[in-house]
Amino acid sequence: MAEIMAEPFAFPLRLDAVALIVIDMQRDFAEPGGFGASLGNDVSRITRIVPDVKRLIEGFRAAGLPVIHTMECHRPDLSDLPPAKRNRGDPDLRIGDDGPMGRVLIAGEPGTAILPELAPIDGEIVIEKPGKGAFYATPLGDILKSRGIGQLVFAGVTTEVCVQTTMREANDRGYECLLIEEATESYFAEFKASAIAMIRAQGAIVGWTAHIDDILQGIDRA
Ligand code: TIU
């Protein structure tokens, strides 16, 4: 066990039980013409974290630790897309519509792909998920159990939507969760800050938060 400097107190890293989970670093959330932009968001906030997410992934890979990637997306026939999700609000493009990067948030379309700098390599787990949380309607829980993973280090977007939802799902399932501050982002600076604060409040009620150099150095030391 290695102690990682974290908030609200040290994180007890176990190298035999930890995985990195990178949430939804997809073109649809980070590039103009995608789903995030269609909701009216400034997507440039998301691309700014790519170098740190890459550094984190490379640190886990170099140590031989598992890296899991998730993608928010739906079947081409929309059978896993609740009308309540598709019809919400007044976006320029709805999920399943044809956009500049193919059909929005549909599995296999160019815009749904993970950003090329952060693309999974052979052997890494990729979870396609129809919801905000990565446990809902996916095999993630069974995969983690079969590999003896009990700790999840979180990166990805957006902090208060898919990252926080997945952390809460994981926390309720008994996983120890650590969010890396430089490797997550929101379209709203205040929502990122609030999500980080609420996750680690009340004695890490949802999980811990840490800075990227502390986890990378901790992995090296261990
Ligand atoms: N991945 C994820 O967070 N999906 C979203 O739709 N996030 C928004 O903040 N819109």
Side-chain angles (χ1 to χ4, degrees):
M1 201 265 282
E3 295 232 311
I4 304 298
M5 196 193 295
E7 289 195 57
F9 40 75
F11 181 79
L13 181 70
R14 290 184 284 128
L15 285 187
D16 59 344
V18 70
L20 173 66
I21 182 162
V22 184
I23 304 288
D24 300 359
M25 288 301 297
Q26 298 162 250
R27 297 182 64 200
D28 254 316
F29 295 110
E31 292 185 19
F35 181 62
S38 84
L39 299 172
N41 296 306
D42 169 11
V43 293
S44 68
R45 292 187 57 83
I46 304 299
T47 40
R48 264 183 257 146
I49 65 164
V50 169
D52 277 331
V53 178
K54 188 172 159 65
R55 204 151 67 86
L56 190 59
I57 291 173
E58 285 170 353
F60 272 71
R61 282 179 186 156
L65 299 174
V67 178
I68 300 166
H69 307 258
T70 71
M71 306 169 72
E72 183 174 351
C73 61
H74 295 275
R75 304 294 102 209
D77 65 2
L78 308 186
S79 55
D80 60 358
L81 175 60
K85 183 175 180 183
R86 176 168 155 84
N87 297 331
R88 187 90 40 89
D90 189 23
D92 298 335
L93 287 169
R94 292 188 187 278
I95 297 171
D97 287 352
D98 258 321
M101 296 191 285
R103 292 182 69 199
V104 175
L105 281 195
I106 298 300
E109 296 288 329
T112 307
I114 291 172
L115 293 166
E117 305 93 308
L118 307 178
I121 60 172
D122 276 354
E124 290 179 348
I125 297 158
V126 180
I127 301 287
E128 295 186 348
K129 63 183 183 63
K132 303 308 183 196
F135 287 84
Y136 168 68
T138 75
L140 178 61
D142 291 338
I143 290 171
L144 297 178
K145 247 187 226 131
S146 72
R147 295 181 180 223
I149 293 167
Q151 296 187 328
L152 293 170
V153 174
F154 279 82
V157 297
T158 60
T159 318
E160 82 282 11
V161 181
C162 291
V163 175
Q164 181 171 214
T165 301
T166 304
M167 284 188 82
R168 288 176 181 276
E169 286 183 329
N171 186 48
D172 281 351
R173 286 165 173 77
Y175 295 91
E176 292 174 313
C177 298
L178 174 66
L179 174 62
I180 305 305
E181 294 194 34
E182 296 84 355
T184 185
E185 195 46 87
S186 166
Y187 298 119
F188 306 87
E190 69 274 28
F191 289 174
K192 173 177 175 175
S194 298
I196 287 171
M198 67 177 77
I199 282 164
R200 67 189 178 203
Q202 307 183 65
I205 194 83
V206 176
W208 288 252
T209 66
H211 292 290
I212 187 165
D213 288 333
D214 291 321
I215 181 74
L216 289 176
Q217 286 162 16
I219 289 172
D220 273 352
R221 273 200 318 273

